[in-house]
Amino acid sequence: MEKRQIKRALISVYHKDKLDLIVKKLHEEGVSFLSTGGTKSFIESLGYPCEAVEDLTSYPSILGGRVKTLHPKVFGGILARRELEEDKAQLIKYEIPQIDLVIVDLYPFEETVAVGADEANVIEKIDIGGISLIRAAAKNYKDVVILASKAQYAPFYELIEQNGAETTLEERRWFAKEAFAVSSHYDSAIFNFFDGDHASAFRSTADNSKALRYGENPHQQGFFFGKFDEMFEQLHGKEISYNNLLDIDAAVNLINDFEDITFAILKHNNACGLASRPVLKDAWLAALAGDPVSAFGGVLITNAVVDKETAEEINKLFFEVIIAPDYDLDALEVLTQKKNRIILVLEDNKVPARQFRSALNGVLVQERDTYIETEDDLKIVTDKEPTEEEVEDMLFANKIVKHSKSNAIVLAKNKQLIASGVGETSRVDALNHAIEKAQSFDFELEGAVMASDAFFPFPDCVKIAGDVGITAVIQPGGSVKDDESIAVCNEKGMSMVTTGIRHFKH
C-alpha cells in the first residue's frame, strides 16, 4: 500500500471555505503547518501555530506578492524522493524540511475574465506560485498529497477522518490526477484568453465526468463531461442517457429561438411537433397533432410554466423527458405518476458560443448558429407579396427548419408545424415526405407556408408545393436557378421571400 504519514503541510489558498475542518483534524494528528499571508493568519485565528514561509526561506514576499513560495527550501521539501539517500542527504545539508501535504488553489482567472476586468487585472490573476506547487506535489505523488482546489477538500477530509494523517499510494495518485486536471484546465483558460478569436490551436476542458449507461448503442461506452446541474434540476425520473442528452441539447437550442408560449416535441434531435399559442395547453395539443405517432417516446420542451390542465393532457402520452422553466405543484403530482419519466427544470438556457465535434483525426469548431431572421431580413422576390399571417408563419417555420437535419423542408400554418421532411439526401424527397406526412394526419395544405434550410437548386420543389396549395415560401436564395423558382411562384400565384442566410445542420 506504500502508506505515508503526513507530518508537515504547506497551505496557501484563495478559498478557505471548509478549510477549518481539515486544519483542525490535521492539528489533532500532530501535523505542523507552513503558510503565507492570509492563509497563515487564518490558521492562527483558529488557534493553531503556523510557520511563515518567509521564516523558512529567509526571503520576504516580494514584487507585490508575485514571489512568495518560489524557493528551493519549499520546492526541495516537496520534490525530494524519500527513498533516495542522495535526496535525503541534500535535505539535511541544506536544512530543507520535508513537506508531505500541499493544499493550494489558484487565483480566479476565469472569473476575472468573465466579469470583464481590464487586461492588467486579468494578468495579475495568472497564478505562478500556486500552479508550480500543484505540479511539483502532483509529480511527487509517491510521497506527497496534493489538494489543488476546494473540490478536493471533502474527499480529503473524509479520508483523514477515517484513517488519520496517513495516505496510501493509490489515494495520493488519485489526488495527483485531480490536480493535473485543475492545472490543465487553468492553462487552457489562459491560452484561450490570449488566443482570442485567432483559433491558432484547440484547447477545451470539461470537468465533472459522468459515466452513462452506454453511448448511442448498448455496445458503446459513453460519458458526459460538463456541469449539467448548473443548467438543469432533475425533479424526477431515471438516469439520463447519452441519447437523452443529445435530444435535450437540441431541444434547448430550439426553444431558445421562441418568445411566444411554445411547446415542442423532438425525436432524434428533430422537431416532430411544435406550436405557439396564447395558452400552454393549446400549444401542447397543436404540437402533438403535428405528428402524434412520432411523439411517442419523445423529448418535450416548453418555455412556459406547466400547469395541471396541460400536465393531464401530456400524461396521456408516453415520453422520455420533459423540460420546462417550472411546474405547478399539482402538475408535478400528475407528471410524476410514471417513475422513469425524466422531469427537468431548465434553470439556465445559456449555451456556449462555439460548437465542436471530433472529425477524422482532429476537431471541427464553428460559431453556433444563433441568427434569427426577422421581418426586416425578408426580401420579397415575387409579384405577389405575402400576407401578414404568411410572414408570421414563414418566420415561425424558418426557426424550425434552422434546427432540423439537412436536407430539411418544414411546412407550417397558423404557427403550427404541420409536417417536415428532414435528413433527406435530396430536397425533393424532403418535401414529398413532408407532404405525405401532413396529408396522413389530414392537414389542409391550402394556405400553408414552406421553409427550406438552403436554396432550391431547381424549381421542382416550388412547383410541387404550389400543386398542393402552399401559398408562401421562405428560403435563403442564391441558386443560379432562383429566377426559375420565382417564375413558378408567379405562375402559381405564390409569394416567395429570401433571407440570404442558409441554415445547414448535420
Side-chain angles (χ1 to χ4, degrees), residues 21-178:
L21 298 174
I22 293 174
V23 172
K24 180 177 183 294
K25 179 61 178 175
L26 291 174
H27 176 73
E28 291 173 355
E29 295 289 329
V31 177
S32 63
F33 301 115
L34 180 65
S35 191
T36 62
T39 307
K40 177 177 180 294
S41 299
F42 173 78
I43 294 171
E44 290 174 334
S45 73
L46 298 174
Y48 309 124
C50 182
E51 181 183 1
V53 167
E54 293 92 329
D55 293 339
L56 172 65
T57 64
S58 300
Y59 272 89
S61 173
I62 63 173
L63 305 180
R66 283 188 164 196
V67 180
K68 298 176 185 176
T69 57
L70 296 168
H71 193 280
K73 284 204 170 184
V74 174
F75 281 85
I78 296 170
L79 287 165
R81 291 155 292 189
R82 279 32 169 193
E83 75 280 7
L84 287 189
E85 293 300 325
E86 183 180 354
D87 282 12
K88 289 193 286 187
Q90 288 184 1
L91 293 182
I92 294 170
K93 178 179 179 180
Y94 297 109
E95 298 180 336
I96 299 174
Q98 290 184 1
I99 296 172
D100 312 297
L101 167 66
V102 176
I103 304 178
V104 63
D105 57 14
L106 301 169
Y107 290 155
F109 177 83
E110 288 179 281
E111 295 86 342
T112 305
V113 172
V115 299
D118 60 43
E119 183 159 315
N121 281 317
V122 171
I123 298 304
E124 285 307 308
K125 289 298 186 287
I126 298 177
D127 208 309
I128 303 301
I131 202 80
S132 301
L133 290 168
I134 287 172
R135 292 182 66 84
K139 177 177 181 176
N140 202 26
Y141 71 90
K142 288 187 176 181
D143 299 306
V144 180
V145 186
I146 171 64
L147 274 63
S149 82
K150 61 182 180 180
Q152 277 94 63
Y153 288 2
F156 180 72
Y157 181 70
E158 182 180 349
L159 187 153
I160 59 175
E161 272 285 283
Q162 292 177 355
N163 305 321
E166 189 177 64
T167 62
T168 66
L169 177 62
E170 182 182 2
E171 290 163 347
R172 294 190 299 277
R173 196 178 194 283
W174 184 87
F175 281 106
K177 178 261 297 183
E178 293 294 306

Side-chain angles (χ1 to χ4, degrees), residues 483-505:
D483 288 345
E484 294 182 27
S485 294
I486 294 168
V488 171
C489 281
N490 288 333
E491 178 186 328
K492 292 183 173 292
M494 303 164 67
S495 60
M496 177 184 284
V497 299
T498 58
T499 63
I501 302 292
R502 188 180 73 182
H503 291 296
F504 266 167
K505 187 169 186 283

